[in-house]
């Protein structure tokens, strides 16, 4: 039984919910209803109990109920080995940002939520991950890393903000000294991003090879397309120095291109089906789905092993694309992870094998009712 789970969830003016209240125990949570009823909106609300923009990456000003004052809120109680913790988030006064409160007090940062729970998710929008643009795979990778290292997402945002400043300065023929200062800032965050990614991916790769058979899903080979063509320095200071020199020498090229042509924002993630020795992009849709589920499950175990917190999983419409054998493998793996999992679907029968291992709710037009 999980020692960390969401026991209370409250939504106010969020998406299609004027209000919603769920009182939960440690079991899995199954949400069923017609398409468009609000199932994904509900787990999106849960996903906002972590750093970032949640599973849809939506601007905060778009989350409020239509016709409301724009001030949405998500509140929860998290049961932990050290007692219950109240974690909530909602719109800031300007609506384009959000605030976080923990036990009734303003949190020092959104990363503070990660001290009490970690979250991973899988949605239908991720089904094209392997064959889609590299930016999608990079964001997927950074989401995995952030679940292990909560400050990673902020480092990525800081780098991108500094890079935009550099691009503007190049376009305006800005002061070289100011460019050097911006490039130094970029190099510091880029180094942190690089080592967080490579360390996390190395640990995930090792665990994947040793434990994927336990999940019932295929083993995924995972690797990064190198950030630099030449060997990358192995120390943070060495990489920072190297990047500063590269960006300084590339100013003319980048000015002509209108963008920064080299850095962690250009990295891609390579994924292969190890059992077939085949790039994931060439696999069937069903195989790609199985690879992605296997990756999430193994990463959840890695998070549990490294942080002591099994992440709460949000699996949107996952069961409909699995045959009975794979559904049973998924449910059994979730039990072994000792975590709480929120699952959505249109057909309650897809979750029948969970039996008493799950608590079921019916979702319809922005209302949530417990199934008897």
């Amino acid at each position: 039984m999980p020692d960390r789970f969401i026991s209370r969830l409250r939504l106010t003016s969020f998406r299609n919910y004027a209000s919603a209240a769920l009182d939960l125990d440690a079991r899995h949570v199954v949400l069923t209803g017609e398409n468009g009823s609000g199932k994904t909106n509900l787990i999106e609300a849960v996903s906002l109990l972590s750093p970032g923009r949640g599973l849809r990456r939506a601007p905060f000003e778009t989350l409020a109920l239509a016709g409301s004052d724009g001030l949405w809120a998500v509140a929860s109680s998290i049961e932990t080995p050290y007692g219950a913790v109240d974690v909530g988030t909602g719109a800031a006064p300007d609506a384009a940002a959000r605030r976080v409160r923990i036990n009734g007090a303003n949190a020092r940062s959104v990363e503070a939520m990660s001290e009490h729970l970690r979250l991973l998710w899988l949605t239908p929008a991720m089904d094209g991950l392997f064959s889609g643009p590299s930016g999608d795979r990079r964001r997927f990778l950074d989401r995995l890393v952030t679940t292990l290292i909560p400050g990673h997402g902020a480092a990525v945002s800081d780098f991108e903000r500094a890079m935009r400043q550099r691009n503007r300065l190049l376009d305006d023929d800005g002061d070289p000294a100011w460019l050097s200062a911006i490039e130094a800032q970029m190099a510091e965050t880029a180094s942190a991003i690089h080592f967080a990614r490579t360390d996390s991916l190395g640990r995930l790769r090792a665990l994947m090879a040793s434990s994927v058979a336990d999940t019932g899903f295929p083993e995924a080979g995972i690797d990064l397309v190198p950030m630099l063509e030449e060997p990358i320095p192995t120390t943070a200071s060495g990489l920072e120095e190297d990047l500063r020199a590269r960006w300084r020498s590339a100013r003319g090229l980048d000015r002509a291109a209108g963008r920064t042509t080299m850095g962690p924002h250009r990295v891609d993630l390579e994924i292969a089906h190890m059992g077939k020795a085949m790039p994931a992009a060439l696999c069937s849709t069903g195989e790609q789905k199985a690879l992605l589920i296997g990756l999430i499950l193994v990463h959840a175990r890695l998070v549990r092993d490294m942080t002591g917190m099994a992440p709460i999983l949000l699996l949107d419409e996952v069961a409909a694309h699995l045959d009975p054998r794979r559904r049973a493998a998924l449910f059994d793996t979730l039990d072994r992870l000792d975590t709480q999992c929120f699952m959505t679907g249109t057909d309650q029968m897809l979750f029948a094998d969970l039996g008493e291992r799950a608590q079921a709710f019916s979702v319809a037009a922005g209302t949530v009712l417990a199934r008897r």
Side-chain angles (χ1 to χ4, degrees):
M1 178 171 136
D3 61 4
R4 193 177 300 263
F5 61 93
I6 297 173
S7 61
R8 182 179 67 91
L9 184 67
R10 301 289 186 267
L11 275 59
T12 303
S13 294
F14 185 87
R15 294 291 194 185
N16 67 326
Y17 292 94
S19 65
L22 282 79
D23 293 301
L24 307 169
D25 54 43
R27 293 176 296 165
H28 304 309
V29 179
V30 171
L31 305 165
T32 56
E34 295 180 356
N35 291 328
S37 59
K39 304 184 299 297
T40 303
N41 291 343
L42 201 151
I43 63 170
E44 180 187 24
V46 178
S47 75
L48 290 167
L49 300 173
S50 66
R53 292 189 175 275
L55 58 81
R56 283 190 174 114
R57 301 185 69 251
F60 296 132
E61 63 268 26
T62 67
L63 299 179
L65 178 72
S68 71
D69 60 6
L71 299 180
W72 58 271
V74 178
S76 69
S77 291
I78 314 299
E79 302 299 322
T80 81
Y82 314 102
V85 180
D86 292 332
V87 178
T89 186
D94 67 359
R98 65 164 166 155
R99 293 185 293 191
V100 171
R101 292 177 67 82
I102 296 177
N103 288 333
N106 289 330
R108 63 186 183 277
S109 68
V110 294
E111 286 77 24
M113 292 186 286
S114 298
E115 297 173 11
H116 307 290
L117 78 164
R118 305 291 171 100
L119 290 159
L120 283 171
W121 53 76
L122 186 61
T123 71
M126 297 162 66
D127 286 352
L129 183 74
F130 302 134
S131 55
S134 61
D136 289 349
R137 288 184 292 277
R138 194 162 48 248
R139 283 189 290 271
F140 173 73
L141 168 63
D142 287 331
R143 182 69 231 170
L144 297 184
V145 177
T146 298
T147 314
L148 286 170
I149 307 170
H152 177 74
V156 172
S157 295
D158 289 346
F159 172 81
E160 292 175 347
R161 188 179 305 112
M163 181 177 65
R164 288 192 294 270
Q165 288 181 286
R166 177 180 185 266
N167 292 343
R168 286 194 295 269
L169 282 169
L170 287 173
D171 187 53
D172 295 338
D173 287 327
D175 182 355
W178 185 236
L179 271 169
S180 293
I182 294 294
E183 287 164 356
Q185 180 184 350
M186 289 169 58
E188 182 178 357
T189 53
S191 178
I193 292 166
H194 168 74
F195 286 111
R197 284 172 173 171
T198 54
D199 180 68
S200 299
L201 205 57
R203 294 174 185 272
L204 179 58
R205 187 185 300 114
L207 188 59
M208 177 75 67
S210 66
S211 67
V212 70
D214 297 336
T215 70
F217 290 88
E219 178 183 354
I222 44 178
D223 206 355
L224 284 177
V225 175
M227 180 171 61
L228 306 174
E229 293 182 1
E230 301 170 14
I232 297 177
T234 57
T235 65
S237 59
L239 180 55
E240 288 179 34
E241 182 180 353
D242 185 68
L243 287 170
R244 287 196 301 270
R246 288 174 182 269
W247 281 321
R248 184 168 55 250
S249 64
R251 287 174 187 173
L253 172 65
D254 291 353
R255 181 179 291 110
R259 58 187 172 84
T260 299
T261 55
M262 179 275 299
H265 62 296
R266 304 286 292 172
V267 164
D268 198 356
L269 185 65
E270 293 182 330
I271 305 173
H273 189 306
M274 296 300 286
K276 295 192 170 185
M278 179 186 296
L282 301 181
C283 293
S284 70
T285 301
E287 288 171 330
Q288 290 184 15
K289 187 78 172 184
L291 281 169
L292 193 53
I293 293 172
L295 257 176
I296 292 292
L297 294 175
V298 174
H299 188 71
R301 178 177 165 185
L302 177 63
V303 174
R304 182 197 65 187
D305 293 350
M306 287 187 62
T307 70
M309 287 188 277
I312 292 170
L313 300 179
L314 310 176
L315 305 181
D316 193 17
E317 300 288 351
V318 67
H321 302 283
L322 301 176
D323 59 38
R325 180 180 65 85
R326 282 266 164 81
R327 281 202 300 272
L330 171 62
F331 299 155
D332 290 345
T333 301
L334 292 176
D335 289 342
R336 290 194 296 271
L337 282 171
D338 285 331
T339 189
Q340 186 183 54
C341 178
F342 287 69
M343 289 171 274
T344 71
T346 56
D347 186 353
Q348 177 66 26
M349 289 304 297
L350 293 172
F351 305 98
D353 288 345
L354 281 169
E356 292 301 314
R357 292 179 288 174
Q359 51 208 308
F361 295 84
S362 176
V363 181
T367 62
V368 186
L369 297 174
R371 284 182 175 269
R372 302 300 180 186

